């Protein structure tokens, strides 16, 4: 058994979970929407790439250039229309609406692309890796995903800490009405937060599609992992989300090392343990980036 | 022709569900003056101020800012037109630093003499503690930041809701001591106050609310103590 390998692969997997979770965390922390369609939107992002790439032979890395911005735009529109309206009714309504969106996206994809699973062509990147020693190989692709996750979270926390819009986003998360009476256009600001969340979920969907096969129903499992990462890390804290993703990845990978049937279960157990003993997560409260 | 009032409220009525919190209140505030609204708890003062600021939708009546009807204008756009509220309970952004709280106030800043540097000059302690989270400040300090956050927008009409609430008398004195400095810049101030003597000391005009209605209206110097007392508590024979 190679424990070092399990730890390294777990951390690499954790990068993907963190990327998934950061949009969920942002949308809940700022907008107040628990997006039950989060995983399905990630899968939708991957299918949008399938649809828009000129052929299946095209390197899917190109999709990184246009799918996240497209989703950002889509997220802004969705927030300003459907999500905003449901928020004005009640928080429970947003749960129902996003659950409905989840059903619509899954079945729409099923109708359009059938239940067959798809995967991306990423050229030689899919197999290339470097050898640390005889038992430890690191895939460039998975390492890239982890680095992208760290880069996205760094840029995002810098943006929230320094920029005018970022400060307004945090102000709205603290007290929406007080932001309004300070002259902040809260609807626009919440839309921008949703745009960022949707751009990151598209990025996560693409990263997922490059490392695994995806099908219309893949979203539900992804949503669960994203939730677990957010709860383990502490709701509203970006760096906590990274930590949560890494811990979840480690738990799954080490569980898998003990017994291949134990992988996903070990992740769930760690999640339940955190919920039971430290319900505020590992980084409690909103660490203001 | 008389000068256009800075703020004019006409027969404003606002409800909380079935309860009429503000019932046909009207007044007019000349530019550069201080208007005080007094009244007991639940008299409708805060609802009135929130309705003027656009946070609460009135069921009847109108709000005019420098002669323009702003009744249908959203609260954030009223800020851009010079109407800024310092809310009851201060309502700072607790996870943001002092400096960041002031930066949020710049969102719709109008040109004018107030900016963050000027606020930091007004409250010198803020300079050293600008990076401290606002949630860690004392009540008086939070009130100062809340006022600073409103000032950086360069309001022409500043609405102050219960700024003395929960503060030590010496802190209240210091905050009210700022008013003359604001008035010299041509700012108009509308304040809501439970502490009647405090309000009478600074106001050019005072109105007393009782259960959402105006029960007394006048110039502080011409009102007698018993008159105000009777209006405040709703005793028979009060005001008009």
């Amino acid at each position: 058994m190679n424990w070092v390998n399990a730890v390294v692969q777990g951390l690499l997997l954790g990068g993907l979970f963190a990327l998934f979770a950061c949009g969920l965390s942002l949308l809940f922390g700022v907008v107040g929407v628990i997006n039950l369609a989060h995983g399905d939107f990630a899968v939708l992002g991957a299918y949008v790439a399938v649809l828009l790439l000129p052929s299946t032979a095209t390197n899917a890395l190109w999709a990184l250039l246009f799918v996240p911005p497209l989703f950002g735009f889509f997220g802004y529109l969705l927030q300003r229309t459907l999500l905003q309206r449901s928020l004005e009714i009640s928080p429970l309504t947003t749960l129902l609406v996003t659950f409905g969106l989840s059903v619509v996206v899954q079945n729409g994809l099923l109708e359009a692309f059938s239940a067959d699973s798809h995967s991306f062509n990423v050229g030689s990147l899919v197999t290339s890796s470097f050898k640390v020693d005889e038992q430890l190989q690191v895939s460039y692709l998975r390492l890239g995903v982890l680095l992208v996750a760290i880069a996205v979270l760094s840029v995002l926390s810098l943006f929230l800490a320094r920029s005018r819009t970022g400060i307004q986003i945090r102000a709205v998360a603290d007290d929406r009405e007080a932001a309004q009476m300070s002259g902040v256009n809260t609807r626009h600001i919440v839309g921008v937060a949703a745009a960022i969340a949707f751009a990151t979920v598209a990025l996560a969907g693409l990263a997922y599609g490059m490392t695994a096969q995806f099908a219309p129903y893949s979203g539900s499992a992804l949503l669960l992992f994203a939730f677990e990462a957010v709860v383990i890390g502490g709701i509203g804290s970006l760096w906590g989300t990274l930590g949560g993703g890494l811990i979840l990845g480690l738990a799954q990978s080490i569980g898998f090392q003990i017994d291949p049937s134990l992988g996903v279960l070990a992740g769930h157990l760690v999640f339940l343990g955190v919920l039971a003993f430290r319900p505020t997560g590992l980084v409690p409260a909103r660490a203001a980036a | 022709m008389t000068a256009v009032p800075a703020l004019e409220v006409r027969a404003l009525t606002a409800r909380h569900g079935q309860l009429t919190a503000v019932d046909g209140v009207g007044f007019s505030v000349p530019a550069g003056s201080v208007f005080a609204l007094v009244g007991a708890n639940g008299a409708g003062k805060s609802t009135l101020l929130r309705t003027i600021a656009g946070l609460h939708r009135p069921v009847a009546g109108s709000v005019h800012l420098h002669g323009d009807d702003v009744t249908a204008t959203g609260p954030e756009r009223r800020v851009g037109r010079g109407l800024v509220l310092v809310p009851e309970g201060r309502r700072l952004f607790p996870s943001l630093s002092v400096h960041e709280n002031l930066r949020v106030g710049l969102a719709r800043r109008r040109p004018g003499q107030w900016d963050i540097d000027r606020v930091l000059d007004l409250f010198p302690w803020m300079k050293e503690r600008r990076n401290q989270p606002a949630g860690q400040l004392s009540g008086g300090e939070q009130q100062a930041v809340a006022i600073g956050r409103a000032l950086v927008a360069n309001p022409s009409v500043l609405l102050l809701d219960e700024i003395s609430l929960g503060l030590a008398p010496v802190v209240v004195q210091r905050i009210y001591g700022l008013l003359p400095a604001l008035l010299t810049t041509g700012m108009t101030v509308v304040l809501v106050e439970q502490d009647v003597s405090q309000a009478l000391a600074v106001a050019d005009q005072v109105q007393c609310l009782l259960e959402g209605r105006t029960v007394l209206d006048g110039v502080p110097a011409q009102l007698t103590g018993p008159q105000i007392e009777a209006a405040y508590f709703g005793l028979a024979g009060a005001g008009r």
Side-chain angles (χ1 to χ4, degrees), chain A residues 161-164 167-168 170-171 174-175 177-186 286 288, chain B residues 50 55 75-76 79 84-85 87 91-96 100 103-108 149:
Chain A
R162 302 280 168 79
S163 75
R164 179 188 163 104
I167 290 173
Q168 291 187 352
R170 285 160 50 214
D174 264 10
D175 187 335
E177 194 184 67
Q180 215 176 9
M181 55 182 119
S182 301
V184 174
N185 185 348
T186 51
R286 178 175 294 112
Chain B
R50 285 171 55 83
L55 297 164
E76 66 269 19
V79 173
V84 182
L85 169 69
R91 303 282 292 269
L92 292 183
F93 308 111
S95 76
L96 270 60
E100 287 169 339
R103 274 186 74 181
V104 174
L106 297 176
R108 279 174 200 249
R149 183 178 68 184

Side-chain angles (χ1 to χ4, degrees), chain A residues 71-142:
Chain A
F71 259 63
F73 187 66
F74 169 61
Y76 185 88
L77 283 183
L78 194 68
Q79 171 58 37
R80 292 299 298 258
T81 54
L82 195 60
L83 294 181
Q84 179 63 43
R85 291 201 60 174
S86 55
L87 260 176
E88 280 164 12
I89 300 168
S90 84
L92 188 65
T93 310
T94 65
L95 276 181
L96 293 174
V97 166
T98 57
F99 181 72
L101 282 174
S102 159
V103 174
V104 169
V105 170
Q106 280 187 9
N107 287 286
L109 289 175
L110 203 59
E111 194 65 40
F113 295 95
S114 83
D116 296 346
S117 55
H118 282 69
S119 62
F120 283 140
N121 173 21
V122 284
S124 59
L125 204 56
V126 70
T127 51
S128 59
S129 61
F130 63 90
K131 237 183 201 163
V132 179
D133 64 35
E134 275 314 304
Q135 289 186 302
L136 181 58
Q137 284 203 353
V138 175
S139 146
Y140 281 120
L141 188 61
R142 286 185 174 269

Side-chain angles (χ1 to χ4, degrees), chain B:
Chain B
M1 275 287 287
T2 49
V4 176
L7 179 72
E8 194 183 357
V9 174
R10 291 185 198 156
L12 207 60
T13 299
R15 293 209 179 105
H16 288 297
Q18 292 290 311
L19 175 82
T20 303
V22 176
D23 193 357
V25 173
F27 56 81
S28 161
V29 190
S33 70
V34 178
F35 185 90
L37 287 161
V38 299
N41 253 338
K45 307 179 303 285
S46 286
T47 306
L48 175 56
L49 225 49
R50 285 171 55 83
T51 310
I52 295 171
L55 297 164
H56 196 96
R57 204 180 285 264
V59 290
S62 58
V63 178
H64 303 259
L65 189 64
H66 305 291
D68 299 329
D69 189 342
V70 294
T71 317
T73 309
E76 66 269 19
R77 289 181 49 214
R78 291 189 202 195
V79 173
R81 297 178 69 165
L83 183 63
V84 182
L85 169 69
V86 177
E88 184 180 7
R90 308 180 270 273
R91 303 282 292 269
L92 292 183
F93 308 111
S95 76
L96 270 60
S97 71
V98 169
H99 191 250
E100 287 169 339
N101 267 277
L102 296 177
R103 274 186 74 181
V104 174
L106 297 176
R108 279 174 200 249
R109 180 177 186 270
R110 299 171 351 127
Q113 44 187 308
W114 288 100
D115 54 25
I116 290 181
D117 285 341
R118 177 115 187 247
V119 169
L120 295 180
D121 287 340
L122 189 64
F123 305 103
W125 61 266
M126 280 186 201
K127 278 181 194 157
E128 288 152 37
R129 301 170 64 186
R130 53 194 287 161
N131 293 322
Q132 199 173 336
Q136 293 175 3
L137 301 177
S138 73
E141 290 163 348
Q142 290 193 8
Q143 190 58 267
V145 176
I147 292 172
R149 183 178 68 184
L151 286 180
V152 295
N154 277 301
S156 59
V157 176
L158 184 64
L159 310 173
L160 301 173
D161 195 353
E162 303 268 18
I163 53 173
S164 69
L165 201 67
L167 301 183
V170 56
V171 179
V172 175
Q173 288 305 325
R174 208 175 301 148
I175 286 176
Y176 271 96
L178 298 171
L179 276 186
L182 303 184
L183 294 170
T184 55
T185 65
M187 212 176 273
T188 307
V189 175
V190 176
L191 56 91
V192 155
E193 192 52 81
Q194 273 190 315
D195 182 343
V196 178
S197 58
Q198 187 64 259
L200 294 178
V202 295
D204 299 308
Q205 241 184 307
V206 62
Q207 197 168 93
C208 184
L209 296 185
L210 180 73
E211 290 170 355
R213 291 199 185 87
T214 306
V215 286
L216 185 70
D217 191 353
V219 176
Q222 292 165 6
L223 299 173
T224 65
Q227 235 182 334
I228 294 167
E229 220 167 89
Y232 192 95
F233 294 109
L235 307 173
R240 45 175 157 143

Side-chain angles (χ1 to χ4, degrees), chain A residues 3-251:
Chain A
W3 294 99
V4 178
N5 187 47
V7 168
V8 170
Q9 302 307 332
L11 291 175
L12 294 177
L13 183 62
L16 184 63
F17 292 155
L19 204 51
F20 266 118
C22 88
L24 193 69
S25 173
L26 194 66
L27 208 61
F28 178 66
V30 178
V31 188
V33 169
I34 296 175
N35 183 9
L36 292 180
H38 189 79
D40 302 296
F41 281 128
V43 175
L44 181 66
Y47 275 105
V48 167
V50 170
L51 194 69
L52 294 183
L53 285 171
S55 81
T56 49
T58 316
N59 193 317
L61 288 173
W62 289 109
L64 292 173
L65 290 180
F66 60 87
V67 178
L70 207 63
F71 259 63
F73 187 66
F74 169 61
Y76 185 88
L77 283 183
L78 194 68
Q79 171 58 37
R80 292 299 298 258
T81 54
L82 195 60
L83 294 181
Q84 179 63 43
R85 291 201 60 174
S86 55
L87 260 176
E88 280 164 12
I89 300 168
S90 84
L92 188 65
T93 310
T94 65
L95 276 181
L96 293 174
V97 166
T98 57
F99 181 72
L101 282 174
S102 159
V103 174
V104 169
V105 170
Q106 280 187 9
N107 287 286
L109 289 175
L110 203 59
E111 194 65 40
F113 295 95
S114 83
D116 296 346
S117 55
H118 282 69
S119 62
F120 283 140
N121 173 21
V122 284
S124 59
L125 204 56
V126 70
T127 51
S128 59
S129 61
F130 63 90
K131 237 183 201 163
V132 179
D133 64 35
E134 275 314 304
Q135 289 186 302
L136 181 58
Q137 284 203 353
V138 175
S139 146
Y140 281 120
L141 188 61
R142 286 185 174 269
L143 183 63
V145 171
L146 176 62
L147 293 179
V148 165
I150 293 172
V152 165
L153 287 165
S154 306
V155 169
L156 201 52
S157 66
L158 211 60
F159 170 77
L160 290 177
R162 302 280 168 79
S163 75
R164 179 188 163 104
T165 307
I167 290 173
Q168 291 187 352
I169 287 177
R170 285 160 50 214
V172 169
D174 264 10
D175 187 335
R176 194 156 172 168
E177 194 184 67
Q180 215 176 9
M181 55 182 119
S182 301
V184 174
N185 185 348
T186 51
R187 283 161 191 247
H188 171 70
I189 287 297
V190 165
V192 171
I196 296 170
F198 272 73
T200 62
V201 81
L203 198 58
L206 294 176
Y208 178 71
M210 290 173 197
T211 53
Q213 291 202 325
F214 54 94
Y217 285 127
S218 305
S220 310
L222 297 178
L223 174 71
L224 192 58
F225 294 152
F227 261 124
E228 291 182 344
V230 170
V231 171
I232 292 171
I235 290 164
S237 156
L238 279 181
W239 292 115
T241 300
L242 178 66
L246 294 181
I247 289 170
L248 186 64
L250 275 177

